[in-house]
Amino acid sequence: MPIHLVCLVLFAALLHASWNALLRGGADRLWSMTVMCIAIAITCGVAAAFMPIPATESWSYALLSALLHVGYNLFLVRSYRVGDLGQIYPISRGSSPALITLGAAVFAGERIAPGQLLGIALVSGGIISLAFKGRSLSVPSLPYALGTGCFIAAYSVVDGIGARLSGAPLAYTAWMCALWGVMMPLVYIGLRDARSLFCVRPGTLTAALGGLVSLLAYAIVIYAMNQAPLGAVSALRETSVLFALLIGYLFLGETLTVRRILACGVIVAGTLIIG
C-alpha cells in the first residue's frame, strides 16, 4: 500500500478508538450512540448537497450498509454494557479483518499477496489476543462482541464495493451515513421514546462530537478502500485497538500487562508488513 494511505488509515484508527472510548465511558450508551448518529445525519445531509450524486448502481449498497450500521450500533452498545473497552474492542475489531478479506475475495474478486495475508493474520491474531486474560477468553458479552465483528465485516465489504461503483466515494459515504443517521433515531424511538432522545442532557455535545469524529474516520477508510485491498485497509484500521488500549489504561483505569505489550508488538509487525 502507498505510504500516504497507510498514514491516513492509521490516523482514522486513532479517531475510531477515541470515539469508542467516549461511548464506553458514557452512562447511557444507546442514547449517546443515537445522538452521534443525529450529528452524522445533519452533517452528511448538508455535505451531500454540495457533492455529485453517486451512480445508481451504488444506492442499493448504501441502503444495505446503513441497515448493517444500525445492527452494528445495537450490538456494540449491548457489548459495552458489561465488557471492558480493552476486551470488547479487540474481539469486535480483531475478528473483522479476516472476515473482510474472505468477503472481498468472494464478493469483490480481490486477491491479496501472501505477504499482505501474513500481515493481516498477524494484526488480527495480535488484536484478538489482547482480549485474553491468562489463557481464557472470559467475556460476558462475547456473542455480542463477535456479532459486532461480523457487522463490521459485512458493512465494510458492502461499502468497499459500493464506493467503487459510485464513481464518487466521498459522496457515497455522505449519502450512506445520512441514511444511517436517520435510521438510528427511528430505532431508538421504537425501543424507548422520542422525548428521552431529544431532551438536552450532560454529554450531548460530547456525543455529537464523537459522531463527527467517527464520520471523519470512516470517510478516510472508504477513501482508502477505493484504492487498496479491503482486507489490508481493514487490518490497518483495526490497529485502532492499540490506541484503545492506551486510552483504556490512561483514562478508564484498565490494566496494561506485559502480554498485552507483546501482542501490540505483533500488531505493529503485521502493520509494517502490510505497509
Side-chain angles (χ1 to χ4, degrees), residues 103-253:
V106 173
F107 297 106
E110 284 191 355
R111 296 294 179 266
I112 298 182
Q116 286 198 326
L117 283 174
L118 174 60
I120 291 169
L122 288 174
V123 170
S124 189
I127 290 172
I128 292 176
S129 72
L130 290 169
F132 280 79
K133 291 185 175 179
R135 295 185 177 181
S136 65
L137 186 63
S138 179
V139 182
S141 52
L142 180 60
Y144 288 97
L146 290 174
T148 301
C150 291
F151 275 110
I152 293 168
Y155 72 61
S156 295
V157 173
V158 168
D159 281 337
I161 298 172
R164 294 173 183 180
L165 292 174
S166 70
L170 292 181
Y172 171 89
T173 304
W175 283 102
M176 183 279 293
C177 288
L179 289 170
W180 164 34
V182 169
M183 290 179 184
M184 191 62 200
L186 296 177
V187 171
Y188 180 98
I189 292 170
L191 293 173
R192 294 186 182 177
D193 57 81
R195 184 177 179 181
S196 65
L197 174 59
F198 295 108
C199 67
V200 179
R201 306 189 199 177
T204 299
L205 184 59
T206 300
L209 178 61
L212 299 182
V213 169
S214 71
L215 174 61
L216 175 59
Y218 199 56
I220 292 172
V221 167
I222 291 184
Y223 170 78
M225 284 180 169
N226 193 54
Q227 302 184 52
L230 306 187
V233 173
S234 171
L236 285 177
R237 176 183 60 179
E238 306 317 351
T239 58
S240 58
V241 74
L242 299 176
F243 301 112
L245 191 67
L246 185 60
I247 291 170
Y249 172 71
L250 294 175
F251 301 107
L252 300 179

Side-chain angles (χ1 to χ4, degrees), residues 13-14 16-22 24 80 84-91 93 126-133 237-268:
L14 173 59
H16 196 280
S18 300
W19 79 255
N20 266 259
L22 288 174
R24 175 63 181 84
Y80 280 147
D84 290 340
L85 178 68
Q87 280 196 298
I88 298 301
Y89 199 78
I91 294 171
R93 308 310 303 190
I127 290 172
I128 292 176
S129 72
L130 290 169
F132 280 79
K133 291 185 175 179
R237 176 183 60 179
E238 306 317 351
T239 58
S240 58
V241 74
L242 299 176
F243 301 112
L245 191 67
L246 185 60
I247 291 170
Y249 172 71
L250 294 175
F251 301 107
L252 300 179
E254 299 180 4
T255 58
L256 184 60
T257 63
V258 173
R259 184 181 54 79
R260 286 188 166 189
I261 294 173
L262 292 174
C264 290
V266 174
I267 296 167
V268 171

Side-chain angles (χ1 to χ4, degrees), residues 23-80:
L23 179 64
R24 175 63 181 84
D28 187 342
R29 298 181 187 99
L30 179 61
W31 175 83
S32 296
M33 180 68 83
T34 307
V35 172
M36 289 171 63
C37 289
I38 292 173
I40 289 171
I42 294 172
T43 303
C44 288
V46 173
F50 298 94
M51 294 181 177
I53 302 296
T56 305
E57 295 83 357
S58 68
W59 279 97
S60 59
Y61 290 91
L63 178 59
L64 176 57
S65 177
L67 291 169
L68 290 170
H69 271 83
V70 171
Y72 159 75
N73 288 350
L74 295 176
F75 269 65
L76 183 63
V77 167
R78 179 63 181 80
S79 297
Y80 280 147

